[in-house]
C-alpha cells in the first residue's frame, strides 16, 4: 500500500545511517507520516504509526487525530482526504469538496495538537540553543514532526514560518514551489472563519 511505498521513498532520500540507530528510525517514521499527509492519506499515516518500532514513543494526539481522519476517509469510501466521492455516484467518478479539518477532528484533539506543536517547537529551540553539535537524524525528525503538527493543528502556516522564522525546523520542508503551493492551499482551505476568526482565509494572502 501507500504506507509501504512512502517508507521506501523516504529511505531512498534520507542519508543512510552508518549503523542502525533509534534516531534514524524516528527520522524515517516522521518523514513517512508527513508524506502520508502530503498525499492526503490518513489511513496510510495510521498504518505507519501502528507499525512503528516499539522503542519509538508516539505522542497520543497523533494516534487520536489519525484515527479520526482515517475513520472519516474510510466511512466516505475516499482514497484521499483531498476528495470525497459524491453520495449520488455509484462508480465514484464524481466528487464533492472534502470536509475541513474542523469538521473531522474533535475540538479536544485540536487543542491537544496545538499544545503539542508549541511544546515540540520550544523543545527544539532549547536543544539548538544548548547543543552546538549537529545530529542530522534528530534535525530531520523534528522538522517532519513539526511540519505534520503544523498541518494538523493549523497552529502556524509552514509558508509564513519560512518567511518570519527562517530557523524554524518545520519551515525546512518547503523545498520546492510544489511544497509551497501545497502548504499554502492546505492552510487556506482548512482555516475557516467560524473556527479561526483571527486568522486570514484568503488564498491570495496565503499564496
Amino acid at each position: 500500500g501507500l504506507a509501504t511505498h512512502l517508507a521506501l521513498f523516504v529511505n531512498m532520500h534520507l542519508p543512510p545511517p552508518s549503523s542502525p540507530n533509534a534516531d534514524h528510525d524516528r527520522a524515517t517514521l516522521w518523514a513517512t507520516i508527513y508524506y502520508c499527509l502530503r498525499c492526503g492519506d490518513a489511513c496510510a499515516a495510521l498504518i505507519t504509526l501502528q507499525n512503528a518500532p516499539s522503542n519509538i514513543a508516539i505522542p497520543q494526539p497523533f494516534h487520536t487525530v489519525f484515527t479520526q481522519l482515517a475513520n472519516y476517509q474510510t466511512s466516505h469510501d475516499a482514497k484521499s482526504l483531498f476528495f470525497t466521492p459524491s453520495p449520488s455516484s455509484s462508480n465514484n467518478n464524481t466528487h464533492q469538496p472534502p470536509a475541513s479539518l474542523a469538521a473531522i477532528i474533535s475540538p479536544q484533539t485540536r487543542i491537544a495538537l496545538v499544545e503539542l506543536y508549541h511544546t515540540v517547537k520550544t523543545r527544539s529551540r532549547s536543544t539548538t540553543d544548548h547543543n552546538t553539535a549537529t545530529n542530522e537524524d534528530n534535525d530531520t525528525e523534528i522538522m517532519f514532526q513539526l511540519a505534520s503538527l503544523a498541518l494538523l493543528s493549523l497552529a502556524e502556516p509552514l509558508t509564513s514560518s519560512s518567511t518570519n522564522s527562517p530557523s524554524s525546523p518545520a519551515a525546512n520542508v518547503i523545498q520546492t514551489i510544489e511544497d509551497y503551493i501545497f502548504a499554502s492551499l492546505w492552510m487556506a482551505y482548512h482555516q475557516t472563519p467560524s473556527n479561526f476568526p483571527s486568522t486570514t482565509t484568503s488564498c491570495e494572502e496565503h499564496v
Side-chain angles (χ1 to χ4, degrees):
L2 183 62
T4 301
H5 293 157
L6 288 176
L8 292 172
F9 168 81
V10 167
N11 278 312
M12 288 173 59
H13 286 78
L14 289 186
S18 56
S19 60
N21 63 80
D23 286 341
H24 186 75
D25 289 344
R26 286 192 295 269
T28 301
L29 171 70
W30 292 112
T32 304
I33 289 173
Y34 170 79
Y35 284 113
C36 287
L37 273 177
R38 187 77 161 73
C39 294
D41 196 336
C43 294
L46 184 60
I47 290 172
T48 300
L49 285 180
Q50 292 171 341
N51 293 335
S54 58
N55 63 332
I56 298 179
I58 310 293
Q60 184 57 43
F62 277 104
H63 288 286
T64 304
V65 70
F66 281 119
T67 297
Q68 292 173 5
L69 290 173
N71 286 342
Y72 170 86
Q73 190 175 325
T74 302
S75 65
H76 288 76
D77 195 24
K79 294 181 180 179
S80 169
L81 293 171
F82 297 147
F83 62 86
T84 303
S86 175
S88 60
S89 174
S90 59
N91 56 11
N92 286 351
N93 286 333
T94 60
H95 305 92
Q96 59 186 3
S100 67
L101 288 177
I104 306 174
I105 302 174
S106 70
Q108 295 83 357
T109 301
R110 179 67 59 76
I111 291 172
L113 289 168
V114 171
E115 292 177 347
L116 181 59
Y117 173 83
H118 289 294
T119 298
V120 174
K121 186 175 180 180
T122 300
R123 188 186 304 135
S124 70
R125 286 178 173 172
S126 176
T127 301
T128 301
D129 291 342
H130 293 87
N131 184 13
T132 56
T134 58
N135 182 325
E136 189 168 357
D137 284 326
N138 187 56
D139 291 345
T140 301
E141 172 198 349
I142 292 172
M143 175 180 71
F144 283 111
Q145 185 178 8
L146 272 177
S148 299
L149 281 168
L151 293 176
L152 292 167
S153 69
L154 307 178
E156 180 181 38
L158 290 177
T159 50
S160 66
S161 67
S162 62
T163 300
N164 300 328
S165 305
S167 60
S168 174
N172 293 328
V173 300
I174 306 295
Q175 297 291 326
T176 66
I177 187 62
E178 289 82 5
D179 294 333
Y180 185 89
I181 292 174
F182 164 77
S184 299
L185 292 179
W186 176 285
M187 187 63 66
Y189 185 84
H190 289 293
Q191 276 193 324
T192 59
S194 60
N195 293 291
F196 302 95
S198 62
T199 58
T200 178
T201 58
S202 166
C203 284
E204 288 184 59
E205 294 186 39
H206 278 292
V207 178

